[in-house]
Amino acid sequence: MTRLPPRRRIVVHVGRPGASQRATEGEVWRWNLVDPPYRRLMNTAIGCVGLVGQSNSVVVAGESGILLCNFDLASDPTHLVHRPDHGSTTRPNDGRVDRYGNLVLGMYNQYHRAGATEGENNAGLYRLSSRTLEWEEILLDYRFRVSNCICFSGDGRTMYFGDTPTRRVYAFDYDRYGPLSNRRLIWTMPSYIPGAPDGAQVDDKGRLWIAVTGGGMVVQLDPDTGVVETIVHVNANPTSVTFGGRNLDELFVTTRAPNGGGLWRVKMPSGVRGLPEPEFN
């Protein structure tokens, strides 16, 4: 059984704006599952966060750049590096630290529904080396609108990805030194399920857990067969998921407006556990 040490028994997540919040506030929340949660405002729209090494810090992918936020300090976040596609109509969206300690980040076409770049596939997928802090536009030989479902198999050799408006999720062979390859479609959302795939995570048996935003649910998917094996209903709009708790047997689900940006905590059935979250180092 995997048990996390006390310093890893925390949940860090991005707060999604509710009706009274501005997207530019960029909330990052940290919760040790015992005391009241702690919030930091980044003053920039945020796509995702990742844990950092042995410190009490997180790497924050924001519209203004990639930041390092230390929750032990009251000082402003440190600017690490510019964001990809700087100056374009995209911003960071979904991302995760891969099993080798690098940040994989997908972008978001801010006007994909209406505006200057409506319907355009202009967003890219990038990898930030934790060693050199240099960007690599690796991963795909095509562009898309809204990156989501970025997560990795336990051995780090498979990456999952979805372009949300297409309602499709793909698996790729993942090479820490090169581009993605061997794309295969693992799930097309059936028409009877509303919404679209958002954030995702993998459990210790290789099953994929996908937040269905606009559908009020999280689905557990067998990536080999495309069969949905479990549905967790959430009375909210889910945006992403991860596993936590002492034994990694709880699912934490972030949500967005119109019913706020709350965090849901769901005890998993016996035998369902997650994997420790990789760290950017």
Side-chain angles (χ1 to χ4, degrees):
M1 177 185 297
T2 300
R3 287 194 174 181
L4 293 180
R7 76 170 190 87
R8 292 297 307 273
R9 295 175 202 162
I10 60 170
V11 175
V12 180
H13 67 95
V14 177
R16 297 297 178 184
S20 62
Q21 295 174 287
R22 296 179 298 113
T24 53
E25 284 184 340
E27 297 179 349
V28 177
W29 291 80
R30 181 186 184 277
W31 184 34
N32 64 7
L33 311 184
V34 177
D35 302 310
Y38 182 73
R39 182 184 70 162
R40 291 287 298 270
L41 296 179
M42 300 289 110
N43 197 33
T44 185
I46 297 173
C48 59
V49 296
L51 303 179
V52 176
Q54 298 295 317
S55 68
N56 194 18
S57 299
V58 293
V59 60
V60 179
E63 186 171 12
S64 65
I66 309 304
L67 312 173
L68 183 67
C69 175
N70 189 326
F71 279 92
D72 290 331
L73 303 176
S75 56
D76 291 337
T78 303
H79 184 274
L80 289 181
V81 66
H82 63 83
R83 68 172 177 85
D85 288 346
H86 188 72
S88 73
T89 59
T90 66
R91 63 163 175 81
N93 196 49
D94 193 38
R96 290 216 185 250
V97 177
D98 67 17
R99 302 292 176 195
Y100 309 102
N102 304 301
L103 177 65
V104 174
L105 177 65
M107 304 299 282
Y108 173 95
N109 177 357
Q110 300 198 73
Y111 303 102
H112 72 95
R113 292 190 181 94
T117 54
E118 179 180 357
E120 288 187 15
N121 294 320
N122 66 346
L125 189 65
Y126 300 85
R127 179 167 54 211
L128 178 65
S129 167
S130 59
R131 184 177 59 85
T132 65
L133 291 183
E134 293 181 352
W135 286 108
E136 184 182 1
E137 183 178 12
I138 51 168
L139 299 183
L140 293 174
D141 57 2
Y142 64 91
R143 295 229 158 187
F144 48 85
R145 282 175 282 174
V146 179
S147 64
N148 267 310
C149 295
I150 296 173
C151 57
F152 299 88
S153 60
D155 63 7
R157 297 169 60 184
T158 301
M159 188 187 115
Y160 300 99
F161 174 81
D163 181 5
T164 292
T166 69
R167 290 168 46 97
R168 295 185 177 96
V169 181
Y170 295 90
F172 295 83
D173 291 348
Y174 185 76
D175 180 351
R176 63 187 296 188
Y177 300 113
L180 298 177
S181 61
N182 189 26
R183 183 176 84 157
R184 56 265 188 205
L185 178 66
I186 62 169
W187 192 46
T188 299
M189 282 185 58
S191 59
Y192 62 82
I193 297 181
D198 208 318
Q201 186 56 290
V202 176
D203 67 23
D204 68 349
K205 293 182 175 61
R207 300 297 196 261
L208 196 62
W209 294 77
I210 304 172
V212 180
T213 189
M217 68 182 72
V218 176
V219 299
Q220 182 203 39
L221 180 76
D222 183 337
D224 294 326
T225 64
V227 173
V228 172
E229 298 179 328
T230 304
I231 297 178
V232 178
H233 291 281
V234 180
N235 187 25
N237 272 319
T239 56
S240 194
V241 296
T242 196
F243 289 92
R246 177 189 292 267
N247 299 317
L248 289 168
D249 57 356
E250 296 176 288
L251 188 70
F252 292 84
V253 184
T254 56
T255 64
R256 63 172 174 83
N259 45 11
L263 180 69
W264 290 62
R265 183 182 187 180
V266 183
K267 183 71 172 180
M268 289 287 92
S270 177
V272 177
R273 300 184 189 279
L275 295 166
E277 191 75 22
E279 297 175 333
F280 184 72
N281 59 17

